[in-house]
Amino acid sequence: MSDSVHKALWERLELDVEAHEALLAVLGKFYGDIYLSQEGRLQGAEYLDFVLSEVHGLRIQEIQDAKATGKKVVGTFCVFVPEELTLAAGAIHVGLCAGAKAGSEKAETILPRSTCDLIKSFVGFKLARLCPYIESCDLIVGETTCDGKKKAYEAFGASVDAMHVLEVPHCKMPSDRALFRSEVVRYKEALEKLTGNTITAAALHEATITVNAKRRALQRLARLRAADPAPISGRDALLVNQISFYDDPTRFTDKINVLCDEIETRIAKGEGVAKAGTPRLLLAGCPMAVPNWKLPYIVESSGAVIVGEESCIGERNTRDLVDVTKTDLDGLLDALTDRYMKIDCACFTPNTERLEHIAALARELKADGVIHYGLLFCQPYAHEAFKVGKAMTEAGVPYLSIETDYGMEDMGQLKTRVEAFVETLS
Amino acid sequence: MSDSVHKALWERLELDVEAHEALLAVLGKFYGDIYLSQEGRLQGAEYLDFVLSEVHGLRIQEIQDAKATGKKVVGTFCVFVPEELTLAAGAIHVGLCAGAKAGSEKAETILPRSTCDLIKSFVGFKLARLCPYIESCDLIVGETTCDGKKKAYEAFGASVDAMHVLEVPHCKMPSDRALFRSEVVRYKEALEKLTGNTITAAALHEATITVNAKRRALQRLARLRAADPAPISGRDALLVNQISFYDDPTRFTDKINVLCDEIETRIAKGEGVAKAGTPRLLLAGCPMAVPNWKLPYIVESSGAVIVGEESCIGERNTRDLVDVTKTDLDGLLDALTDRYMKIDCACFTPNTERLEHIAALARELKADGVIHYGLLFCQPYAHEAFKVGKAMTEAGVPYLSIETDYGMEDMGQLKTRVEAFVETLS
């Protein structure tokens, strides 16, 4: 990741080039230790390694080239922002960096200390000028999913050129659906204003098919992980989901389908990344943004394999497709609204469907246990951890709840807890 | 407060009588130290002392007597729940205890540790069976103002007989107003179901006039505090606002107007609770529920006097009246919706009106400085503390931001900080 062939690009984006290169060097080392050290990886992982190595390089160059032709770039932090609309407006849709402890000190000058590391991360990346994606954005879209983000966008918005905050309601009653429907329309209008393009029914229909295809590829990958031995590591599968937020959607879909072909071959041969019978774990909870690979690394170096991610960077983003049977604009906007209102985010109350989803997923993936991952100071998922624990106990599924942040100080303690948990499953 | 003449009553309510008596003994001592020790109190403070001494006694007896005649009791935790509707349904509306560290250990068995003390308090009061109000309730109404409360009600709801959660939106756009309008109607329907009474236009009009009168009395008190010397201590004024959530609204209004008459006489004589020229402070931020008197006590024993409370137990609850010019049901429900949607809670984004309100209030009350009070782990007000600080600095108003909880461990440290701040104002 630390190839300074892109230095001129980063200078043009007014990054803090020195700090940025130092960050890339650390991440490169981290990636080598966590990813490149794995045995029995798929050939298709070459795509993942390449994308990651060029995540701040070639992909940014590609985005800048598109900008030079008049394309606009929209940055987001949440799976509630309908990518279908962004693409239909002819813009590029990217998920923004929020997985590393960088710029935290600067972030704490405008955010409370009791803010989760994901929020501190994106604010820090901006204030410390470390993220070429943020600097490439023509519009940044926030949302009201949690208090931390909702209020952070007020301060963050002052440091970016254009900010749009999408309101996500608290419940799923008809009045909430109506509110979110109006928010979908308001986002559509913001995109039309930004790009100068009118979002037509045909363009939205096509974009919806594109995003559905991406989600289908991710669903295919998720289902293949039910095989024992596990055909892909949890780390690599998480990386696939992380990359789905950055790469061109059509290229990504093609690559992941090729990866899935390879996985099918591997399954047919009875091969995998770990021995058959290796304890299988489902991770549930907060999203793990690039390069937040700490817990997956701990789990998979403790004698277990991760077979699913019940999180926004995982199942929560891929479970539901948009109905494309209606092809008129109103029908498509209705279908988008309905699809996004199905998301089982902890921001909703009561959100009991999430408990059912986790139990079903654990069954489908033949998971031997569930680890709930909460980011320190993330209140919505911290509350749900209690509920998930109760539901898993009732379902007879072994359960471990972990709360941590982006720091490395608790690595040893976490490893001890995870190893002890894995031991009970063997 | 610790009169065991009411022991039979508490036993009937299935309180943990022993722990409850211990709690009352502590509170009685605390009240004596903080309230009864004050010099130059108003005669009308006798009402406050009496209500507080009987807050778990005679008032509960009165509520139980009303219940015996078929009245229903509704308990709430937030100023967004329209008292007008509760009264129009012929029910009693009470704010529930949330200001003491009691039952916290029990609360932490179902809540994350990074939950504010206000939430831990009401959950703890219930789980430890310490609050006769909660035990008297036929319906408890929560709301979605913050992540902590929204998610806590899911666990809390399982331990109470009937729970209704009112959805408060995140923004103030037309779609939010429509959502809250439907929530007002949903609450009305819940009350009608609970009480068996239909809420008529006439009943709602009358109830609205009753609640407006209560708010007018509190507004009158607030305005009188602009006088120098300050005619009433901040502690007593806070207590008035706290009691407004417990006592019968009509009796309360009468008593507070009598208190205001006395204050006017005092002002005419140039008398007050502190010398003219004593540094005057406005408290802004989180609500201080009974018996959370820690910070006011520290401030007023540090050479300053508090002249206003910009909080839910203060201005945020009393600033706006409901328009009663329309007398039909739809018109009244619209007026209620509009009034409640004016509340400048930190749950809204962007909520810039709050900054204007604080600046205006500081001017009106001739405050020499503003102290922002944040409850540890309250994310919405922690974020706003940064914004208030910036706005006060721009307005040239001295500003101090304090974050604390219900513990007494930081009393010394807080006193040092407050004294240093007050010194800069003298």
Side-chain angles (χ1 to χ4, degrees):
Chain A
M1 247 187 275
S2 59
D3 194 347
S4 37
V5 69
H6 302 296
K7 198 170 169 185
L9 175 66
W10 299 330
E11 278 170 354
R12 273 202 306 282
L13 289 169
E14 296 184 17
L15 295 191
D16 180 337
V17 175
E18 204 173 318
H20 180 251
E21 293 211 6
L23 174 72
L24 291 192
V26 171
L27 293 186
K29 167 84 171 62
F30 201 46
Y31 190 76
D33 292 347
I34 293 181
Y35 278 91
L36 303 180
S37 67
Q38 296 180 96
E39 286 175 18
R41 279 180 99 200
L42 295 151
Q43 277 195 351
E46 279 174 22
Y47 161 68
L48 308 180
D49 294 342
F50 180 73
V51 171
L52 245 281
S53 71
E54 288 294 344
V55 71
H56 279 201
L58 283 183
R59 179 60 180 147
I60 294 296
Q61 187 59 59
E62 192 174 46
I63 287 172
Q64 288 299 321
D65 292 347
K67 277 171 75 91
T69 70
K71 277 228 176 202
K72 299 292 182 186
V73 180
V74 176
T76 65
F77 299 105
C78 177
V79 300
F80 273 103
V81 184
E83 183 175 358
E84 294 85 348
L85 284 168
T86 316
L87 300 184
I92 294 171
H93 188 99
V94 291
L96 292 170
C97 304
K101 211 175 178 72
S104 287
E105 275 176 38
K106 284 200 169 69
E108 285 183 9
T109 63
I110 63 169
L111 297 178
R113 282 181 54 212
S114 59
T115 298
C116 80
D117 269 353
L118 189 145
I119 296 170
K120 281 186 191 162
S121 176
F122 75 70
V123 172
F125 269 108
K126 173 66 202 172
L127 297 185
R129 293 179 290 118
L130 290 170
C131 175
Y133 289 92
I134 294 183
E135 303 308 327
S136 299
C137 284
D138 299 290
L139 178 69
I140 292 185
V141 185
E143 20 47 60
T144 62
T145 43
C146 67
D147 290 340
K149 282 165 106 191
K150 173 171 71 179
K151 300 304 281 184
Y153 295 130
E154 295 174 12
F156 180 76
S159 64
V160 301
D161 292 337
M163 180 98 213
H164 178 94
V165 177
L166 186 84
E167 184 175 3
V168 177
H170 303 280
C171 305
K172 294 186 176 178
M173 295 180 286
S175 52
D176 298 290
R177 201 256 180 210
L179 185 143
F180 193 69
R181 176 65 158 77
S182 73
E183 284 297 281
V184 167
V185 171
R186 200 167 64 86
Y187 180 50
K188 171 180 165 287
E189 290 165 355
L191 286 166
E192 290 176 334
K193 196 175 156 206
L194 175 76
T195 60
N197 301 328
T198 300
I199 294 179
T200 63
L204 184 53
H205 192 251
E206 193 192 325
T208 302
I209 289 171
T210 299
V211 180
N212 272 354
K214 176 161 84 165
R215 294 204 175 103
R216 263 200 197 94
L218 290 163
Q219 288 177 351
R220 185 182 166 202
L221 172 65
R223 278 195 306 267
L224 290 172
R225 295 167 74 193
D228 187 23
I232 182 171
S233 70
R235 274 165 284 179
D236 276 325
L238 172 63
L239 190 56
V240 168
N241 278 286
Q242 289 172 335
I243 287 175
S244 76
F245 290 87
Y246 294 91
D247 204 11
D248 172 81
T250 305
R251 176 171 59 209
F252 173 84
T253 304
D254 292 345
K255 291 288 187 186
I256 300 314
N257 277 320
V258 169
L259 187 84
C260 287
D261 293 342
E262 189 191 347
I263 291 177
E264 284 178 353
T265 308
R266 184 176 264 200
I267 293 172
K269 290 188 200 160
E271 291 172 6
V273 292
K275 275 186 251 172
T278 298
R280 303 162 62 84
L281 292 175
L282 172 64
L283 293 190
C286 288
M288 292 175 182
V290 170
N292 179 12
W293 304 307
K294 181 170 107 172
L295 188 59
Y297 175 64
I298 290 172
V299 170
E300 297 200 327
S301 60
S302 299
V305 64
I306 297 165
V307 295
E309 295 77 29
E310 188 277 336
S311 93
C312 303
I313 301 182
E315 281 293 311
R316 199 160 359 271
N317 185 40
T318 61
R319 181 182 299 115
D320 305 303
L321 302 178
V322 179
D323 182 357
V324 287
T325 50
K326 294 258 173 64
T327 55
D328 64 303
L329 197 56
D330 267 342
L332 283 164
L333 293 172
D334 278 334
L336 273 184
T337 304
D338 291 336
R339 187 266 169 201
Y340 282 87
M341 284 296 287
K342 277 187 198 156
I343 296 175
D344 59 351
C345 176
C347 71
F348 290 111
T349 188
N351 200 35
T352 42
E353 62 266 43
R354 182 171 170 236
L355 306 179
E356 292 152 22
H357 287 151
I358 295 175
L361 200 58
R363 267 196 310 275
E364 283 164 30
L365 298 173
K366 306 187 191 76
D368 299 306
V370 169
I371 294 186
H372 197 280
Y373 163 67
L375 203 44
L376 192 64
F377 301 126
C378 169
Q379 295 188 355
Y381 282 97
H383 280 271
E384 296 227 334
F386 286 89
K387 293 160 57 185
V388 175
K390 198 161 167 248
M392 292 304 108
T393 304
E394 284 166 9
V397 178
Y399 175 78
L400 176 68
S401 176
I402 291 219
E403 197 170 68
T404 183
D405 59 15
Y406 291 176
M408 295 299 157
E409 300 78 11
D410 61 353
M411 286 280 287
Q413 193 196 0
L414 288 180
K415 191 150 170 56
T416 304
R417 289 184 64 203
V418 170
E419 281 174 349
F421 180 62
V422 171
E423 203 148 296
T424 65
L425 308 174
S426 306
Chain B
M1 247 188 277
S2 60
D3 195 344
S4 35
V5 70
H6 301 296
K7 197 168 168 184
L9 175 65
W10 300 329
E11 278 171 353
R12 273 203 307 282
L13 290 169
E14 297 184 16
L15 295 190
D16 178 337
V17 175
E18 204 173 317
H20 180 251
E21 293 213 5
L23 174 73
L24 291 192
V26 171
L27 293 186
K29 167 84 171 62
F30 200 46
Y31 190 76
D33 291 346
I34 293 181
Y35 278 93
L36 303 180
S37 66
Q38 296 178 97
E39 284 175 20
R41 280 180 97 199
L42 296 150
Q43 278 195 352
E46 279 174 18
Y47 161 68
L48 309 180
D49 293 341
F50 180 71
V51 170
L52 245 282
S53 71
E54 289 293 344
V55 70
H56 279 201
L58 282 185
R59 180 60 181 146
I60 295 296
Q61 186 60 59
E62 193 174 44
I63 286 171
Q64 289 299 323
D65 292 347
K67 277 171 74 91
T69 71
K71 278 228 176 205
K72 299 292 181 185
V73 179
V74 176
T76 66
F77 299 105
C78 178
V79 299
F80 273 102
V81 184
E83 182 174 1
E84 294 86 348
L85 284 168
T86 317
L87 300 184
I92 294 171
H93 188 98
V94 291
L96 292 170
C97 306
K101 210 175 178 71
S104 286
E105 276 177 38
K106 284 200 170 68
E108 286 183 10
T109 62
I110 64 168
L111 297 178
R113 283 180 53 212
S114 58
T115 298
C116 81
D117 269 354
L118 188 144
I119 296 171
K120 280 186 192 163
S121 177
F122 74 71
V123 171
F125 269 108
K126 173 65 202 173
L127 297 186
R129 291 179 290 120
L130 289 170
C131 174
Y133 288 93
I134 293 182
E135 304 308 326
S136 299
C137 284
D138 299 290
L139 177 69
I140 292 184
V141 185
E143 20 49 57
T144 62
T145 43
C146 66
D147 290 341
K149 281 164 107 189
K150 173 172 70 178
K151 299 304 283 185
Y153 294 130
E154 295 174 12
F156 181 76
S159 64
V160 302
D161 291 338
M163 180 97 214
H164 178 95
V165 177
L166 186 84
E167 185 175 4
V168 177
H170 303 280
C171 306
K172 293 186 177 179
M173 296 180 285
S175 52
D176 299 291
R177 200 256 180 210
L179 185 144
F180 193 68
R181 176 67 157 77
S182 75
E183 283 298 281
V184 167
V185 170
R186 200 167 64 88
Y187 180 49
K188 171 180 166 286
E189 290 166 356
L191 287 166
E192 289 176 334
K193 196 175 157 204
L194 175 76
T195 61
N197 301 329
T198 300
I199 294 179
T200 63
L204 183 53
H205 192 252
E206 192 192 326
T208 302
I209 288 170
T210 300
V211 180
N212 272 354
K214 176 161 83 164
R215 294 205 175 101
R216 264 202 197 88
L218 289 163
Q219 288 176 350
R220 185 181 167 204
L221 172 65
R223 278 196 306 267
L224 291 172
R225 295 167 74 191
D228 187 22
I232 182 170
S233 70
R235 275 164 284 180
D236 275 326
L238 172 62
L239 190 56
V240 169
N241 278 287
Q242 290 172 334
I243 287 174
S244 75
F245 290 88
Y246 293 91
D247 204 11
D248 173 82
T250 305
R251 175 172 58 210
F252 173 84
T253 304
D254 292 345
K255 291 288 186 184
I256 299 314
N257 277 320
V258 169
L259 187 83
C260 289
D261 293 341
E262 188 190 348
I263 290 177
E264 284 177 355
T265 308
R266 183 175 266 203
I267 292 171
K269 290 190 201 160
E271 292 172 5
V273 291
K275 276 186 249 172
T278 298
R280 303 162 63 83
L281 292 175
L282 173 63
L283 293 190
C286 288
M288 293 174 180
V290 170
N292 178 12
W293 305 306
K294 183 170 104 171
L295 187 59
Y297 175 65
I298 289 173
V299 171
E300 296 200 328
S301 59
S302 299
V305 64
I306 297 165
V307 294
E309 295 78 29
E310 187 277 338
S311 94
C312 303
I313 300 181
E315 282 291 312
R316 201 164 353 275
N317 185 41
T318 61
R319 181 182 299 114
D320 306 302
L321 302 178
V322 178
D323 181 359
V324 287
T325 51
K326 295 260 173 61
T327 55
D328 64 304
L329 197 57
D330 267 341
L332 283 163
L333 293 172
D334 278 333
L336 273 184
T337 304
D338 291 335
R339 186 266 168 204
Y340 282 88
M341 284 297 287
K342 278 189 199 153
I343 297 174
D344 59 352
C345 175
C347 71
F348 289 111
T349 188
N351 201 35
T352 43
E353 61 266 41
R354 181 170 169 236
L355 305 179
E356 294 151 22
H357 288 151
I358 295 174
L361 200 58
R363 268 196 311 275
E364 282 164 31
L365 298 173
K366 305 186 190 80
D368 299 305
V370 169
I371 294 185
H372 197 280
Y373 163 67
L375 204 45
L376 192 63
F377 301 125
C378 169
Q379 296 189 353
Y381 281 98
H383 280 270
E384 296 227 334
F386 285 89
K387 293 160 56 184
V388 175
K390 198 162 167 251
M392 292 305 107
T393 303
E394 283 166 10
V397 179
Y399 175 78
L400 176 68
S401 176
I402 294 226
E403 197 170 69
T404 183
D405 59 15
Y406 292 175
M408 295 299 158
E409 300 78 10
D410 62 352
M411 285 281 287
Q413 192 196 2
L414 288 180
K415 192 150 170 55
T416 304
R417 288 185 64 202
V418 170
E419 280 174 350
F421 181 63
V422 170
E423 204 146 296
T424 66
L425 307 174
S426 304

